[in-house]
Amino acid sequence: MKNILTKIRKGYGKKLVSIHMWNAWLVLFLALSGLMLVGGFWREMLGEGRVWLKWGHIMFGLALLIPVVYYLLLAAKHWKRLKGKTGQKANVIFVLTLLIGWLVSGVVLWQFRLAGPRAANSALFVHDLLTWVGLPVIIYHSVTRVKWLKEPKKRSIIAETLPVESNTEPTVRPRPAASSEAQPMYTRRGFIKVAVGAGLAVTLGPTFVRWIGKSLQLPGTADYAASNANALIPDPVPLAESAPPIGGGAEGSFRVYTVTDIPAFDNSNWSFTIDGLVDKKFTWSWEEFVKLQREVQVSDFHCVTGWSVYKNTWEGLPLYKLLDMAGVQDEAVTVKLYSGDGVYTDSLTLAQARMEDIMVAVMHDGKPIPNQLGGPVRLVTPQMYAYKSVKWLNRIELIAGDHVGYWEQRGYDIDAWLPNAKRV
């Protein structure tokens, strides 16, 4: 084993440079692909390509393990060379913590079905936190080192090959410090550092503050209802169980994903329809729909990307009761669900649709559901991941065949069951 390590560490200086380079390319791809995966614009633009990008992100993330392990084999020798260089040691520890944290949290998110919602939620928080902290540091480090890389005399060590004596390795010796010269008040390198640091603080700082506020549920950071663009009247009057919410108020923060622009509705352009293979077709206006008898339930909400919101108090109509009102014909096999965005659809089997906790929801925690969260009406499927919980729901059609929904066409599972779900 000792001989193997000796061979691996031979010429470790060049190997460190290679590790640094490959690590940089991997992190660059992961940063860009990660931002594209969470961005609403790219979710719409990529379509099915988003699934391939997600797998690319996972594979490149796993590949990040290679330079990390390789460095750990060289770490003992490198650490000796850093004797007395506290700043460089701190940088090595920071980068290793960042990479290992990304790897571990990423694996949990990749295997979210095995890990379960709470572990995935925690892993997503860690993954995001490391991204918010790590990427600005990496960008800053990269930009401010450009001049340093072009001027070898600025480096703290250089490789100098000594005359060969009994098969010794090349020795790395410190270069003597440059002679002291008068320095200007600020250098070009110093100006770049300040400018890049200020730019990162201005551009990323406010977004980071909003993210940390929502993640920790700080006041004023997740008040979606305040900017609700829907203009439907009258407001639904909450039942006693909704105000105050019997769930105690949602724990967590919703992330707003959409495959189109977020629509908004008023009384003139909103209606709700049940049709297809039913005995009686219904089309309700908003005024009629809010008069239907609603019920209240408390349930958790889980997104397939890893985040969750717990103890939501939803108020609405159980889906199976709407189906009973319409009367489902014998030929019907599938419940097709339409979003008011005009693009998104999904489906449930009849057996799934008759689960008691699947709800056509109108209110969340005692307030009308805002358009950012899929209001005025959205489906809630507590035993399934949220891509089945169709936002802006405005039509239910009973059909004889199967229907493959928007994300299922793009690689998602047709059955979106959570781990330990009460399957039917």
Side-chain angles (χ1 to χ4, degrees):
M1 184 66 182
K2 188 175 181 180
N3 291 334
I4 294 174
L5 288 175
T6 300
K7 288 181 179 179
I8 291 174
R9 290 168 181 170
K10 187 175 181 180
Y12 92 105
K14 289 183 179 180
K15 291 178 178 177
L16 284 179
V17 172
S18 273
I19 289 171
H20 195 279
M21 180 188 69
W22 283 108
N23 187 63
W25 283 113
L26 287 169
V27 169
L28 176 63
F29 175 83
L30 291 169
L32 293 176
S33 59
L35 292 172
M36 292 172 72
L37 285 170
V38 300
F41 170 78
W42 288 108
R43 288 172 67 86
E44 180 183 356
M45 287 291 293
L46 290 169
E48 187 173 357
R50 184 181 180 277
V51 177
W52 293 104
L53 184 62
K54 177 183 175 182
W55 278 108
H57 188 83
I58 292 171
M59 292 301 104
F60 273 72
L62 293 173
L64 196 62
L65 188 62
I66 298 172
V68 170
V69 171
Y70 204 166
Y71 173 76
L72 291 175
L73 295 174
L74 305 174
K77 191 168 185 178
H78 186 217
W79 204 252
K80 290 179 182 179
R81 300 293 185 187
L82 296 179
K83 186 176 181 181
K85 298 174 183 177
T86 307
Q88 291 187 37
K89 284 185 175 181
N91 182 64
V92 170
I93 293 171
F94 172 81
V95 171
L96 280 177
T97 302
L98 182 69
L99 296 179
I100 293 171
W102 267 335
L103 278 165
V104 173
S105 59
V107 168
V108 174
L109 289 172
W110 172 37
Q111 296 296 329
F112 64 92
R113 291 184 185 275
L114 297 177
R118 290 195 177 274
N121 216 31
S122 299
L124 187 63
F125 176 82
V126 171
H127 209 71
D128 284 353
L129 179 62
L130 293 176
T131 300
W132 280 115
V133 173
L135 280 185
V137 173
I138 290 170
I139 294 169
Y140 180 80
H141 176 82
S142 300
V143 173
T144 59
R145 287 297 187 275
V146 170
K147 186 176 179 182
W148 180 85
L149 289 171
K150 292 180 179 178
E151 299 183 22
K153 66 181 182 180
K154 297 279 187 180
R155 302 176 189 173
S156 58
I157 59 173
I158 61 171
E160 297 179 348
T161 306
L162 297 178
V164 178
E165 297 179 7
S166 66
N167 298 322
T168 57
E169 290 187 42
T171 303
V172 179
R173 289 181 172 176
R175 178 180 286 278
S179 58
S180 58
E181 297 178 1
Q183 296 293 324
M185 184 175 295
Y186 65 87
T187 63
R188 180 172 175 270
R189 181 180 171 189
F191 175 78
I192 291 175
K193 283 185 176 182
V194 173
V196 172
L200 289 171
V202 170
T203 56
L204 298 181
T207 309
F208 172 74
V209 170
R210 286 195 298 272
W211 171 79
I212 199 73
K214 288 180 180 180
S215 297
L216 299 179
Q217 292 190 280
L218 300 180
T221 56
D223 190 7
Y224 298 104
S227 57
N228 182 15
N230 288 329
L232 292 152
I233 54 176
D235 285 339
V237 178
L239 297 173
E241 295 91 338
S242 286
I246 57 173
E251 296 180 1
S253 179
F254 289 90
R255 299 186 177 206
V256 179
Y257 299 148
T258 173
V259 298
T260 66
D261 292 336
I262 298 176
F265 303 93
D266 57 35
N267 293 65
S268 68
N269 66 1
W270 188 90
S271 63
F272 194 97
T273 299
I274 298 180
D275 62 3
L277 298 174
V278 294
D279 296 330
K280 186 176 182 181
K281 298 178 182 179
F282 285 97
T283 297
W284 291 284
S285 67
W286 176 252
E287 295 92 331
E288 294 166 336
F289 195 76
V290 295
K291 291 178 182 178
L292 298 176
Q293 183 61 47
R294 298 190 298 273
E295 298 180 10
V296 176
Q297 73 170 28
V298 177
S299 59
D300 298 333
F301 186 97
H302 304 292
C303 180
V304 74
T305 59
W307 56 269
S308 303
V309 180
Y310 301 95
K311 299 181 180 179
N312 301 278
T313 299
W314 300 103
E315 182 178 318
L317 298 94
L319 178 56
Y320 76 90
K321 290 192 175 182
L322 284 175
L323 297 180
D324 287 345
M325 288 174 64
V328 179
Q329 295 178 2
D330 293 339
E331 297 88 351
V333 173
T334 301
V335 180
K336 185 177 178 181
L337 306 154
Y338 293 82
S339 170
D341 65 8
V343 173
Y344 196 94
T345 61
D346 215 305
S347 65
L348 299 168
T349 66
L350 268 177
Q352 291 169 347
R354 290 195 171 279
M355 294 174 67
E356 292 185 356
D357 58 358
I358 292 185
M359 175 177 279
V360 177
V362 178
M363 307 191 77
H364 176 255
D365 281 354
K367 297 179 181 179
I369 302 172
N371 67 319
Q372 300 100 314
L373 300 188
V377 174
R378 73 166 301 155
L379 196 69
V380 176
T381 57
Q383 304 297 324
M384 299 178 180
Y385 285 105
Y387 62 89
K388 287 290 186 181
S389 297
V390 177
K391 291 183 286 191
W392 311 300
L393 183 67
N394 66 357
R395 183 185 174 196
I396 298 171
E397 181 187 14
L398 278 295
I399 61 176
D402 296 329
H403 173 72
V404 181
Y406 182 91
W407 281 119
E408 288 92 334
Q409 294 174 24
R410 292 160 175 80
Y412 282 33
D413 292 341
I414 292 179
D415 286 325
W417 296 113
L418 289 161
N420 303 318
K422 300 175 182 176
R423 304 187 181 198
V424 294

